[in-house]
């Protein structure tokens, strides 16, 4: 099946740090309990309840990071245009742009490349890596 995939020769990506994936239309950034602990530790928030009140929200029974009213992630620094928790960012963020919705078809990938200046550029990810990284957020 993988050999027949349209991206069997791999896809390129190099994060430019533009912040486009952290901003824009409202959405969700799913976080596991393990990711929540790592984020809390990285920002020096020892009180789990306070961390949850400040940075988390429930969406359809799952936990997501909070967003600002404009859709930007709560951990996006608009002045520096970067992620304040980049080293411990959730899996959903770490696997961008290789989400199923972005690589399902060549047209989906082309749309992603228009939104993300690093998509289609830089390092070549082989099909094995892509299959490990791809998921539905």
């Amino acid at each position: 099946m993988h050999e027949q995939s349209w991206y069997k020769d791999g896809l390129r990506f190099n994060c430019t740090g533009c912040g486009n994936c952290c901003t824009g239309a409202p959405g969700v950034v799913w976080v596991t309990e393990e990711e929540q602990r790592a984020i809390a530790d990285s920002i020096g928030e020892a009180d789990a309840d306070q961390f949850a009140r400040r940075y988390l929200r429930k969406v359809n029974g799952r936990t997501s990071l909070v967003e600002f009213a404009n859709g930007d992630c709560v951990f996006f620094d608009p002045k520096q245009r970067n992620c304040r928790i980049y080293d411990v960012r959730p899996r959903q963020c770490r696997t961008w742009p290789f989400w199923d919705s972005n690589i399902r078809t060549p047209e989906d990938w082309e749309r992603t490349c228009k939104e993300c200046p690093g998509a289609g550029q830089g390092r070549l990810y082989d099909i094995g890596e892509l299959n490990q990284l791809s998921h539905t957020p």
Side-chain angles (χ1 to χ4, degrees), residues 67-84:
E67 295 177 323
F68 292 113
N70 65 357
D72 291 1
C73 176
V74 69
F75 291 110
F76 180 71
D77 181 336
K79 291 182 180 154
Q80 298 294 319
R81 296 246 358 126
N82 65 12
C83 175
R84 295 183 310 145

Side-chain angles (χ1 to χ4, degrees), residues 7-8 31 35 58 74 87 119:
Y7 56 84
K8 68 182 177 350
V31 288
E35 291 168 337
K58 288 291 185 183
V74 69
D87 290 337

Side-chain angles (χ1 to χ4, degrees), residues 20-127:
N20 290 355
C21 55
C22 306
T23 62
V28 292
V29 176
W30 304 120
V31 288
T32 65
E33 287 184 24
E34 184 178 317
E35 291 168 337
Q36 293 169 40
R37 283 191 297 276
I39 294 167
D41 288 347
S42 78
I43 63 170
E45 181 59 72
D47 184 323
D49 290 333
Q50 185 170 321
F51 174 80
R53 281 191 303 276
R54 231 184 215 163
Y55 300 108
L56 305 175
R57 64 190 171 121
K58 288 291 185 183
V59 179
N60 297 326
R62 293 177 68 189
T63 304
S64 174
L65 294 179
V66 168
E67 295 177 323
F68 292 113
N70 65 357
D72 291 1
C73 176
V74 69
F75 291 110
F76 180 71
D77 181 336
K79 291 182 180 154
Q80 298 294 319
R81 296 246 358 126
N82 65 12
C83 175
R84 295 183 310 145
I85 59 163
Y86 190 83
D87 290 337
V88 293
R89 66 197 185 282
R91 181 178 193 274
Q92 181 176 335
C93 303
R94 285 183 279 118
T95 58
W96 172 267
F98 303 123
W99 298 349
D100 293 338
S101 60
N102 292 341
I103 64 173
R104 187 173 297 119
T105 66
E107 295 78 20
D108 291 329
W109 183 243
E110 185 177 326
R111 174 189 41 78
T112 301
C113 290
K114 288 178 182 172
E115 296 171 9
C116 172
Q121 309 296 316
R123 179 174 167 239
L124 181 66
Y125 288 77
D126 68 35
I127 192 163

Side-chain angles (χ1 to χ4, degrees), residues 7-12 98 100 103 125-135:
Y7 56 84
K8 68 182 177 350
D9 295 328
L11 295 172
R12 294 189 178 279
F98 303 123
D100 293 338
I103 64 173
Y125 288 77
D126 68 35
I127 192 163
E129 291 174 294
L130 293 170
N131 288 334
Q132 287 180 343
L133 291 171
S134 68
H135 78 291

